[in-house]
Amino acid sequence: MENVFEILRERGFIRQSTNPTEIARILSEERITYYVGFDATAESFHVGSLVPIMAMVHLQRAGHTPIAIIGGGTTMIGDPSGKTTMRQLLLRETIDANGDGLLSQLKRYLDFGEGIGTFLNNADWLLPLSYIDFLREIGRHFRVNEMIKAEAYRQRLEREEGLSFIEFNYQLLQAYDFLHLFRHHGCVLQLGGDDQWGNILAGVDLVRRLEGRTVHALTFPLLTTANGEKMGKTATGAVWLDTNRTSPYDFYQYWINVDDRDVKRFLACFTLLPMDEVNRLGELKGDSIRKAKEVLAYEVTKLAHGDVEAENARSASRGAFGDGDIDLSAIPTTIVDADRLNGGIPVVDLFNEVGLGGSKSAVRRLIQQGGAYLNGEQINDTNAILTGEHLDRGALLLRHGKKHVHRVVIE
RNA sequence: GGGGAGGUACUCAAGCGGUCAACGAGGGCAGACUGUAAAUCUGUUGGCUAUUGCCUACGGAGGUUCGAAUCCUUCCCUCCCCA
């Protein structure tokens, strides 16, 4: 069997781990159960979550059994790690609904078949806990002295916002998760973002104290773009896996637009292409690196949304930026009533309605700055009214700056 | 519980009775240059039925004043010191 640990290392997934030699050994000699916890703060993942997801995929392909945990219980507390302010507390119903959304997305990457993979909600065992029992069984194993020295808490303690008691408990609950999964599912490895290191180790310690067994921890580097920004953030907000929030076309475009310096890392981390191929593409320089970006965008979109959507996004992207007018059907489209168009629609309104701009004032500014286009022609008049005369093959092609296009189809 | 300091737009941070839709920096967006990249330069960055106009905004609610982000009252919240 190929050594997954080596694969993960080579592809840039490993930041810190407890005993690397031992982890490498059990990963190549045994079939183990591992887990990753996900916050249930939204009903969709965004591209940042792809790091743990892809790591889980590699491990499952190597024959290990994933447990994906939705933090239905822990999200009710809110993890202070890496957060400068306290999180908003969410309602139980919201958290449950979020969990459903996340599961459906995970299913595209992981096999949750009988005995192959599991999806659990930690609300199932955290919510019924009794406060006193929990403190007596679990709480006594935690030293406050140590906890407040941990980076995650220290940052917050030093900042003005401080730290509330509810958040301070987060680590205990996450540690308890690991213990629970060890006891009931034989889980011996937890993976997570590097900001989770302290929380994960707390679980490792807890298992050792209560069960006398050694379990393992492994963290991923916190992936940032070459500019030092958090992954997946754009002006419009995060880049989501949910097609209602981020269309496959926009998703594809996100990857096309990554910084040159990120291409190789991203190929290794977010695609399943063999490393030879990754290295070859990663070496491309200058103009030709766009080919590598196209491969990156295509592969990542394919994993997230399937072949068909990936194909469509690719041809739409080529159509919008290349010279030929190829298939534009995958470009985000809005349908407008023919009668309404014949009555005349102010350009400003139309841009605003399809989501190119943000507000009418913003669209006016855009036009004044020469960044608004209709069917490839710059728009000069903020008061322009669109009618049927402006149709180009039954549609209007709106463009915001160089990169954002939207089609308006008339019916 | 006692004492002190604060809450300003996406973020940090000025302003401390009119000239404040609110300095400055970061970020965002657009333009030039380019390769749908980066860097650089320029412009822009509350909304609107808007050519010098109107509306909403400086934690919430009231008040003083011709006029408040700026003064007063009260409430909420945060931080620091003491208990």
Side-chain angles (χ1 to χ4, degrees):
Chain A
M1 195 192 320
E2 238 190 314
N3 189 342
V4 221
F5 189 76
E6 212 22 70
I7 295 179
L8 289 177
R9 192 212 302 279
E10 188 180 24
R11 303 189 86 104
F13 283 98
I14 299 175
R15 174 65 207 280
Q16 300 190 69
S17 67
T18 53
N19 199 335
T21 9
E22 177 62 9
I23 296 178
R25 189 191 66 73
I26 59 171
L27 284 177
S28 62
E29 294 177 7
E30 300 170 20
R31 282 171 181 261
I32 63 150
T33 299
Y34 59 99
Y35 104 87
V36 175
F38 295 99
D39 256 353
T41 44
E43 60 176 351
S44 169
F45 288 112
H46 57 264
V47 299
S49 311
L50 284 175
V51 178
I53 292 174
M54 292 304 291
M56 291 181 92
V57 169
H58 286 293
L59 285 165
Q60 186 170 47
R61 284 158 64 111
H64 302 291
T65 310
I67 300 179
I69 296 278
I70 285 303
T74 31
T75 302
M76 296 194 76
I77 302 304
D79 182 9
S81 307
K83 294 287 169 295
T84 51
T85 51
M86 183 170 155
R87 290 197 181 177
Q88 181 106 39
L89 295 178
L90 300 174
L91 293 174
R92 179 72 207 270
E93 302 83 75
T94 316
I95 292 171
D96 287 347
N98 290 346
D100 293 344
L102 298 180
L103 173 59
S104 68
Q105 293 180 352
L106 277 176
K107 281 180 176 164
R108 290 202 292 260
Y109 292 86
L110 295 166
D111 187 345
F112 288 110
E114 186 72 32
I116 303 173
T118 317
F119 179 83
L120 299 170
N121 185 337
N122 66 14
D124 294 343
W125 59 86
L126 291 182
L127 262 38
L129 285 174
S130 142
Y131 191 58
I132 301 296
D133 291 345
F134 183 78
L135 289 180
R136 289 173 60 100
E137 192 200 350
I138 307 299
R140 69 198 176 100
H141 296 293
F142 287 79
R143 301 267 81 87
V144 173
N145 323 243
E146 286 174 31
M147 288 176 71
I148 59 174
K149 282 185 216 149
E151 184 61 23
Y153 291 121
R154 206 178 59 214
Q155 271 187 17
R156 281 290 294 280
L157 289 169
E158 284 168 4
R159 283 196 130 240
E160 258 195 2
E161 287 84 3
L163 181 72
S164 77
F165 184 65
I166 185 173
E167 298 172 282
F168 194 57
N169 283 271
Y170 188 88
Q171 187 172 88
L172 306 231
L173 293 180
Q174 188 167 332
Y176 184 75
D177 276 353
F178 204 169
L179 178 67
H180 177 93
L181 293 174
F182 174 78
R183 283 175 172 168
H184 299 276
H185 299 272
C187 177
V188 295
L189 172 66
Q190 181 182 177
L191 304 91
D194 199 49
D195 54 343
Q196 295 298 309
W197 181 242
N199 293 340
I200 298 175
L201 283 186
V204 171
D205 278 343
L206 190 63
V207 172
R208 181 169 29 231
R209 286 188 167 145
L210 288 173
E211 302 293 321
R213 289 284 304 276
T214 300
V215 291
H216 297 280
L218 193 157
T219 62
F220 313 116
L222 206 57
L223 266 201
T224 50
T225 65
N227 274 331
E229 286 152 5
K230 239 174 140 177
M231 277 227 39
K233 291 201 67 177
T234 67
T236 1
V239 178
W240 302 91
L241 293 198
D242 179 359
T243 52
N244 291 322
R245 294 183 184 225
T246 302
S247 71
Y249 171 79
D250 288 331
F251 186 83
Y252 180 95
Q253 283 297 313
Y254 172 77
W255 297 99
I256 283 285
N257 283 312
V258 300
D259 194 303
D260 286 7
R261 293 167 288 177
D262 292 326
V263 172
K264 190 169 172 182
R265 275 160 67 223
F266 287 4
L267 279 167
C269 186
F270 298 110
T271 75
L272 293 171
L273 293 175
M275 280 307 285
D276 306 353
E277 183 71 358
V278 170
N279 287 324
R280 187 184 68 77
L281 290 168
E283 292 310 313
L284 295 175
K285 291 277 179 280
D287 204 344
S288 58
I289 199 165
R290 280 185 303 147
K291 287 204 190 73
K293 290 183 183 179
E294 199 169 73
V295 174
L296 172 68
Y298 180 78
E299 290 296 325
V300 182
T301 309
K302 192 172 83 178
L303 286 172
H305 302 303
D307 297 27
V308 179
E309 293 291 2
E311 294 284 356
N312 286 343
R314 182 165 62 187
S315 58
S317 174
R318 285 176 177 166
F321 292 98
D323 13 47
D325 32 24
I326 319 172
D327 172 33
L328 292 177
S329 61
I331 287 179
T333 299
T334 301
I335 296 184
V336 165
D337 198 65
D339 292 343
R340 193 171 156 226
L341 181 67
N342 290 327
I345 306 175
V347 235
V348 173
D349 288 6
L350 196 60
F351 267 79
N352 189 230
E353 276 171 41
V354 303
L356 291 177
S359 71
K360 293 186 192 178
S361 296
V363 176
R364 287 203 181 83
R365 267 196 300 275
L366 183 72
I367 294 173
Q368 280 158 10
Q369 294 183 130
Y373 296 83
L374 171 67
N375 300 328
E377 306 265 319
Q378 195 173 57
I379 300 170
N380 303 310
D381 180 10
T382 47
N383 296 315
I385 307 284
L386 299 179
T387 63
E389 291 172 22
H390 297 91
L391 283 175
D392 182 18
R393 278 160 293 174
L396 300 168
L397 190 66
L398 307 181
R399 204 167 102 219
H400 172 247
K402 283 177 191 152
K403 295 183 198 161
H404 310 283
V405 273
H406 197 103
R407 238 158 64 98
V408 175
V409 172
I410 304 305
E411 282 188 359

